[in-house]
Amino acid sequence: MTLRNAVVFVLVCFSAPLSTALAAAPDLGSELRDNTVRALMLNSYIDGVDSELAHQLLRDEDAPRLAALLSETDFSRKDNLVAFLSYLDHPAAVDALRRFALETPDPNNVDAARARVLVPQALAQRAARQRGESAGVDADSTATIDSARRTVATASSLLPDPSSEALLASLTYANHVDVTKPMDDQRLDRNLEVATAIVGRSNFRKDVSCCFLLQRSGSAQSFGVADDKFDDIDTQEELDAVLADSIARVKVVQAINFCNGRKRSNVLGCSPKGGTSIVLVRMTQPSDEAVLWLHELGRNAGLDTSQDSRNVMAKVANATNRGLNAAQCAAFHALPEGNGVTLSNAGVCEDGDGDGVHTLIDNCPTVANPGQGDLDLDGTGDFCEDGSLAPVSPESGVSAYLDEPQELSWTRGAGQIQMELQFAATGEFKRSGTIVSSGFRFFPNDVSTPTIALWQQALKLGKGETPIYWRVRGKAPDGSIAAQTQEPRAILVNEPIPPTVTDPPAECVAPSADCTFDIDKKDSPTLKWTKNHNQRYRVLFANNPEFTGKTVLAVRNYGLFFTAWKMDGGTWLELRKKFWQTDQTAEIWFRIEARDALGRETISPPARLFMADLLEPTTP
């Protein structure tokens, strides 16, 4: 039976009508619960999903959440959604699975394609539960899975033993002829490169730098024949047949729904412990696939599931799993040879610079660089790059404003990962209290536009009269300063520009509607002016353009870049009391005063507006 016919068969035989449960599902939880469910669905459940796991992690009422995720175009792990919906008893699950079965998956997303294959099994399993049938397998059948284990040595150090040898494992692989997105040589080379880097780095305590290297042996092979069902493993017989195929160590199939003697959903890999065969599925992300291949090789090496969630042998694993302990490393060195695996000596296992990355994969083997940073992606670590740390732009002597941070850029020196941007009042950068710093951090592309707070703090060092200087420093892994700019560049602080009133017009004459406003406080004017590179503004009102004598009212402390103000009712009434008299039009002069972060003040030319009684009284 073809996949399309299988879907149609299940849809026809499952007699319950399509419902609107998905659309009508109530909000059954908080945003926190939504986020939790989403995070759980992004994991890789390498041993697959069964009823016990599904109800351990989720509740039946979470089905609408999974259904909503299944309808999201960009959600990446729909295979997990289908697997968990197989076991959640909620009408939204059936509706969601049926809708998804009619969709066309993204051909470039192998997880979505596998999810499509899982739908018939999910619907059939739900139908079997409704009929009271068992969809599982007797516990005694677990004896059919090879449980052989090997004894492994326990190492005492996180770093490789200099006297030991590195092991290179060359793997063969084959795709079933019906796999829609088969593994290819280029992708596998990338996966194995990532896998080698994962085991070769010591990332945290108890994670060793393991000298175990992986490479492809030969090109892709194929196995099976069209429609033989071995691309979609649902029974012990199908699993045994694929594992027994000696064409390659690793066999890639479309989907696995049976492993370890039990019917499961969306198993990602199934391999006998201490055996010489592996069956697994494709994954969209290379990092996820690299962890999956390592995990299944670990089973062949006799390893159990790890309780450490960071370990590559963890039951729930994803791209963040990087750990491998000393005993596991020893097990990989004892990987069973034959049936598509060739082992060879790759050289002396050592870590000359002591950074937790063995020399055979270290991109900078002479300088400690545990992060393996390589910003230009040329294969040579940043700490082994040639060059010097030097500023690029702006040129020395550039003028800048306090409210417009200047973009700064530089060339990165030898091995600088974390950088620090410094400003100082003198080019010597020596006097305590006259240096402002961004702190050490990562600067993408060796460029930075300082925050307004850092910029103003830096330019205040110049006090508006003398230049300030800037430079960049780079920090080595041990915390020492590895390099710094030798020729600091100067920045001058520009004089502020006086604001200009734009509304009402400066030359306004009454009774122009542009500058004459009714005494009613609801018709108070809006004053506007130009941005002038100052931080704070205030508005002053007077009865003459010279602003001599008594200043009537001042409104202070508007924010940065504030260039318009709708006069509030209290201010308008205060002006009315001071200026306006019955049957007269009051002439009110105003100006904008600005003050920048250095305390420098600028004043706009005076402008005026008029206050009048524009509405004649009426007799009731």
Side-chain angles (χ1 to χ4, degrees), residues 188-423:
L188 181 56
D189 288 343
R190 174 57 178 158
N191 291 349
L192 297 182
E193 178 184 356
V194 173
T196 297
I198 288 174
V199 299
R201 296 175 57 176
S202 174
N203 298 286
F204 49 85
R205 192 171 66 87
K206 295 184 179 181
D207 177 26
V208 301
S209 172
C210 184
C211 293
F212 180 73
L213 293 79
L214 288 165
Q215 71 175 16
R216 172 174 53 86
S217 176
S219 294
Q221 302 291 316
S222 61
F223 72 99
V225 295
D227 297 327
D228 64 2
K229 298 183 180 180
F230 293 146
D231 68 314
D232 184 3
I233 298 175
D234 296 313
T235 67
Q236 184 70 54
E237 293 72 22
E238 293 173 355
L239 176 62
D240 289 342
V242 175
L243 288 174
D245 197 319
S246 61
I247 190 171
R249 171 63 70 97
V250 182
K251 272 77 68 173
V252 180
V253 298
Q254 189 74 18
I256 306 171
N257 294 306
F258 189 98
C259 185
N260 291 335
R262 295 179 61 189
K263 191 77 173 179
R264 297 168 179 264
S265 181
N266 194 30
V267 179
L268 303 182
C270 191
S271 311
K273 294 179 182 177
T276 58
S277 188
I278 292 172
V279 57
L280 46 73
V281 300
R282 288 296 316 280
M283 300 189 74
T284 301
Q285 298 299 325
S287 51
D288 288 331
E289 241 173 11
V291 172
L292 174 61
W293 282 61
L294 277 175
H295 187 98
E296 296 308 316
L297 275 174
R299 290 186 187 277
N300 272 187
L303 293 176
D304 290 313
T305 300
S306 173
Q307 299 303 311
D308 187 343
S309 61
R310 303 166 298 177
N311 196 280
V312 296
M313 295 305 298
K315 188 172 184 178
V316 178
N318 52 47
T320 63
N321 288 67
R322 291 289 186 268
L324 197 70
N325 62 40
Q328 292 169 329
C329 178
F332 272 105
H333 278 76
L335 181 72
E337 198 170 7
N339 192 27
V341 168
T342 303
L343 304 178
S344 59
N345 185 353
V348 177
C349 181
E350 60 183 356
D351 180 17
D353 56 9
D355 61 2
V357 183
H358 66 77
T359 300
L360 295 174
I361 65 168
D362 196 335
N363 64 15
C364 182
T366 60
V367 180
N369 63 330
Q372 296 288 286
D374 182 15
L375 292 179
D376 56 6
L377 300 178
D378 64 352
T380 301
D382 296 323
F383 276 73
C384 284
E385 296 278 15
D386 294 329
S388 60
L389 195 58
V392 173
S393 66
E395 294 293 337
S396 190
V398 69
S399 297
Y401 290 104
L402 280 162
D403 59 355
E404 288 188 359
Q406 172 74 49
E407 181 183 85
L408 309 172
S409 66
W410 57 90
T411 58
R412 197 168 52 80
Q416 310 321 312
I417 301 298
Q418 290 196 29
M419 304 289 184
E420 178 190 44
L421 187 60
Q422 284 190 327
F423 302 91

Side-chain angles (χ1 to χ4, degrees), residues 397-403 424 455-469 490-496 533 596-600:
V398 69
S399 297
Y401 290 104
L402 280 162
D403 59 355
W455 186 247
Q456 291 187 349
Q457 187 180 6
L459 265 59
K460 286 180 182 179
L461 296 173
K463 302 185 184 303
E465 300 174 357
T466 58
I468 59 108
Y469 297 85
I491 296 177
L492 301 175
V493 185
N494 268 324
E495 290 293 330
H533 299 284
D596 69 11
L598 295 179
R600 299 175 300 179

Side-chain angles (χ1 to χ4, degrees), residues 489-507:
R489 297 201 174 177
I491 296 177
L492 301 175
V493 185
N494 268 324
E495 290 293 330
I497 303 172
T500 301
V501 175
T502 61
D503 192 17
E507 300 300 326

